[in-house]
Amino acid sequence: MAELNLNNLTLDDNTFDTLPDGDYRFTVDSHEFDYYSGSSTKIPPNTQQVICYLAIPYEKDGEIKTAKVKNTLNIYSKGLWAVRQFVECIGMVPEKGKASIDMDRIDGMTGVCSITTGTSAKGNEFNNVGMFYPPSKAPRVTANDEAWDKRDGFMDAVDDPFNDLPEG
């Protein structure tokens, strides 16, 4: 095995960009399953969670970048409204009626969400998902439209569900 040379090591810029509040198109980059182990009195212990990582392209200083936004969906009776909102947003289920879902199919799906700036208990800012829009109610103009059109490495535009929406 080759020895790692640390003499000419180049590190990537590890800065974090907080997106301005607004509506953004996103692609589900990846997801994982976990169990809630916190101490909230609102969420029962050992509640299953789906942790989704959303890739949101944006433009900064003339360069297309990607913000990775973590969003946690708690799977319990009082949290199912958020799960429903998410799967409607990505077009996985109809906007009305009962539906079965397969969360293993969400990677690569697209939608529109609102992003607000949150602040942690330690005073750190983060990108917070305010809500997920169902396709019929998604804003036609989003804060990252130009970056979305210029993005590289995402789904082809023909797979974009918003291509089929009527103008207006």
Side-chain angles (χ1 to χ4, degrees):
M1 184 170 175
E3 187 175 318
L4 181 61
N5 181 353
L6 299 178
N7 292 329
N8 293 316
L9 184 64
T10 303
L11 299 175
D12 290 337
D13 181 17
N14 195 22
T15 59
F16 173 80
D17 288 327
T18 304
L19 297 171
D21 291 1
D23 299 320
Y24 291 85
R25 292 176 186 241
F26 68 88
T27 299
V28 180
D29 184 57
S30 63
H31 73 283
E32 59 189 52
F33 297 103
D34 201 358
Y35 286 92
Y36 175 75
S37 60
S39 59
S40 170
T41 57
K42 296 179 182 180
I43 302 172
N46 298 317
T47 296
Q48 187 171 3
Q49 299 177 314
V50 179
I51 301 169
C52 304
Y53 297 94
L54 310 179
I56 301 177
Y58 66 101
E59 192 164 353
K60 182 177 180 181
D61 301 328
E63 184 180 338
I64 302 299
K65 298 185 173 203
T66 302
K68 300 283 183 161
V69 177
K70 178 181 174 182
N71 187 67
T72 302
L73 302 168
N74 293 300
I75 313 296
Y76 73 112
S77 60
K78 291 183 180 177
L80 291 180
W81 67 269
V83 175
R84 177 75 189 212
Q85 188 182 76
F86 173 72
V87 294
E88 283 179 2
C89 173
I90 60 175
M92 190 173 214
V93 299
E95 292 180 30
K96 300 226 184 270
K98 289 187 176 186
S100 296
I101 57 173
D102 179 0
M103 294 302 271
D104 283 326
R105 293 182 33 236
I106 65 175
D107 293 357
M109 298 186 105
T110 62
V112 176
C113 66
S114 69
I115 296 288
T116 57
T117 303
T119 306
S120 72
K122 294 180 181 179
N124 299 323
E125 289 188 337
F126 61 93
N127 295 312
N128 180 56
V129 176
M131 74 171 290
F132 291 102
Y133 294 102
S136 68
K137 295 183 173 95
R140 291 295 301 155
V141 177
T142 61
N144 65 336
D145 279 346
E146 277 191 48
W148 183 265
D149 291 340
K150 295 177 185 175
R151 71 197 189 283
D152 186 31
F154 285 81
M155 297 170 58
D156 294 330
V158 295
D159 293 325
D160 186 343
F162 297 99
N163 284 344
D164 298 330
L165 292 178
E167 292 294 323

